[in-house]
Amino acid sequence: SLASDGCLASFEAYVGVSYRDSELEVSHVTPTEEAWNDGDRDVICFVFQPTGEKMTGSVGSPEAGVDEPPGTAAEDTVSGPASFVFGVVALALSVLLFAAMWRIFTKAGEAGWKSLIPIWNFIVLLRIAGRPAWWVILLLVPFVNIVVLIIMYVDLAKAFGKGIGFALGLLLLGFIFLPVLAFGDAHYRGRLARSS
């Protein structure tokens, strides 16, 4: 109640018009019980469009002498050049990974185009690793899918003559280790290689 009254009282000073005359809504965030017990007594007031429309800048009134609060949407958005560079890097990384999967499939005697088809590419990857195709269903089960991916990458690494360390690299740094497997000197030894 105190937070609600305080935010309403601060609204006009911040926005520059009274709450009744504004189209904006006001709400607040209060400390959790745990935070309160740790000494946090701060209340954060915020305004928003009742329509849910995104606001991209401060609603603080310059006449009221209100500075732009830190971490506002205007500061948090990525600038044009930075977003362009990010997009180019993401596109290049995607092309590299698609090319790597295509090459891994062809090294294992499968058609490269199969790596581009969602779900089917996992079925083929399971076959390359020497696991049954029905395991793709297990990839839909939370937590079980993690175990299946670990087993699949360990078996995939062994099928190409690589060890557990390389399998961990595939799991944790796939964007590096998949191209190494694809374009390196590793040769597909077949499904039986995982049992050795």
Side-chain angles (χ1 to χ4, degrees):
S1 176
L2 181 64
S4 181
D5 293 344
C7 288
L8 280 173
S10 300
F11 184 89
E12 185 171 354
Y14 184 75
V15 177
V17 296
S18 71
Y19 176 68
R20 289 183 187 150
D21 296 335
S22 174
E23 296 178 359
L24 299 172
E25 292 291 329
V26 63
S27 190
H28 59 275
V29 178
T30 57
T32 63
E33 183 178 351
E34 182 180 332
W36 182 271
N37 292 335
D38 288 341
D40 182 4
R41 304 292 191 265
D42 292 335
V43 171
I44 300 172
C45 303
F46 61 92
V47 295
F48 59 94
Q49 292 277 9
T51 60
E53 184 180 343
K54 182 178 179 180
M55 300 189 328
T56 58
S58 174
V59 295
S61 168
E63 295 82 23
V66 177
D67 294 331
E68 182 79 15
T72 59
E75 293 175 355
D76 291 343
T77 55
V78 178
S79 67
S83 62
F84 175 76
V85 170
F86 178 77
V88 168
V89 170
L91 179 64
L93 191 58
S94 297
V95 169
L96 176 65
L97 290 176
F98 279 126
M101 289 303 291
W102 186 294
R103 180 75 175 123
I104 289 169
F105 276 46
T106 56
K107 275 186 169 184
E110 296 286 345
W113 60 264
K114 294 178 182 178
S115 66
L116 303 177
I117 301 172
I119 301 173
W120 181 251
N121 55 7
F122 273 102
I123 292 172
V124 175
L125 205 53
L126 284 166
R127 185 169 54 221
I128 291 170
R131 295 294 174 175
W134 66 265
W135 273 31
V136 77
I137 296 169
L138 298 176
L139 292 172
L140 303 174
V141 181
F143 301 111
V144 173
N145 54 7
I146 296 171
V147 174
V148 170
L149 283 174
I150 291 170
I151 294 170
M152 182 182 74
Y153 279 127
V154 168
D155 289 346
L156 181 66
K158 287 182 179 179
F160 279 91
K162 301 293 184 182
I164 298 295
F166 197 89
L168 286 174
L170 287 171
L171 275 167
L172 303 175
L173 297 169
F175 62 95
I176 295 172
F177 281 79
L178 283 171
V180 168
L181 184 64
F183 303 112
D185 60 355
H187 297 286
Y188 183 64
R189 297 181 178 188
R191 299 169 198 145
L192 297 177
R194 67 181 177 87
S195 60
S196 59

Short mmCIF file of all heavy atoms in Angstrom, two decimals, residues 6 53 69 80 84 106 121 128 148 180:
data_model
loop_
_atom_site.label_atom_id
_atom_site.label_comp_id
_atom_site.label_asym_id
_atom_site.label_seq_id
_atom_site.Cartn_x
_atom_site.Cartn_y
_atom_site.Cartn_z
N GLY A 6 3.17 5.77 -2.85
CA GLY A 6 4.41 6.50 -3.16
C GLY A 6 4.65 6.63 -4.64
O GLY A 6 5.07 7.68 -5.13
N GLU A 53 1.99 -1.75 -25.71
CA GLU A 53 2.91 -1.27 -26.74
C GLU A 53 4.28 -1.00 -26.15
O GLU A 53 4.40 -0.46 -25.05
CB GLU A 53 2.33 0.02 -27.34
CG GLU A 53 3.13 0.59 -28.48
CD GLU A 53 2.50 1.88 -29.02
OE1 GLU A 53 1.32 2.13 -28.73
OE2 GLU A 53 3.21 2.61 -29.71
N PRO A 69 16.98 7.29 -16.49
CA PRO A 69 17.43 6.28 -15.55
C PRO A 69 18.35 5.28 -16.21
O PRO A 69 18.22 5.03 -17.40
CB PRO A 69 16.14 5.62 -15.07
CG PRO A 69 15.07 6.07 -15.98
CD PRO A 69 15.55 7.25 -16.75
N GLY A 80 22.66 0.27 -34.71
CA GLY A 80 22.56 -0.26 -36.07
C GLY A 80 23.81 -0.97 -36.54
O GLY A 80 23.74 -2.13 -36.96
N PHE A 84 24.28 -5.03 -37.22
CA PHE A 84 24.68 -5.52 -38.54
C PHE A 84 25.85 -6.48 -38.43
O PHE A 84 25.86 -7.56 -39.03
CB PHE A 84 25.03 -4.34 -39.46
CG PHE A 84 25.55 -4.77 -40.80
CD1 PHE A 84 24.70 -5.26 -41.77
CD2 PHE A 84 26.91 -4.69 -41.09
CE1 PHE A 84 25.18 -5.68 -43.01
CE2 PHE A 84 27.40 -5.09 -42.32
CZ PHE A 84 26.53 -5.58 -43.28
N THR A 106 28.80 -36.54 -45.50
CA THR A 106 29.41 -37.15 -46.69
C THR A 106 30.60 -38.03 -46.32
O THR A 106 30.83 -39.06 -46.96
CB THR A 106 29.85 -36.08 -47.72
OG1 THR A 106 30.73 -35.16 -47.10
CG2 THR A 106 28.65 -35.34 -48.28
N ASN A 121 17.94 -34.90 -39.90
CA ASN A 121 19.38 -34.82 -39.71
C ASN A 121 19.80 -35.50 -38.40
O ASN A 121 20.85 -36.12 -38.33
CB ASN A 121 19.88 -33.38 -39.77
CG ASN A 121 19.18 -32.44 -38.81
OD1 ASN A 121 18.38 -32.84 -37.98
ND2 ASN A 121 19.47 -31.16 -38.96
N ILE A 128 24.75 -42.59 -38.00
CA ILE A 128 26.20 -42.47 -38.17
C ILE A 128 26.92 -42.85 -36.88
O ILE A 128 27.95 -43.51 -36.89
CB ILE A 128 26.58 -41.02 -38.61
CG1 ILE A 128 26.09 -40.76 -40.03
CG2 ILE A 128 28.09 -40.80 -38.51
CD1 ILE A 128 26.20 -39.30 -40.45
N VAL A 148 20.95 -38.44 -24.09
CA VAL A 148 21.00 -38.95 -25.47
C VAL A 148 22.03 -38.17 -26.29
O VAL A 148 22.82 -38.76 -27.04
CB VAL A 148 19.61 -38.89 -26.13
CG1 VAL A 148 19.69 -39.18 -27.61
CG2 VAL A 148 18.67 -39.87 -25.46
N VAL A 180 36.22 -28.84 -37.14
CA VAL A 180 37.47 -29.60 -37.04
C VAL A 180 37.24 -31.05 -37.48
O VAL A 180 38.03 -31.62 -38.23
CB VAL A 180 38.04 -29.54 -35.60
CG1 VAL A 180 39.17 -30.54 -35.42
CG2 VAL A 180 38.51 -28.13 -35.27
#
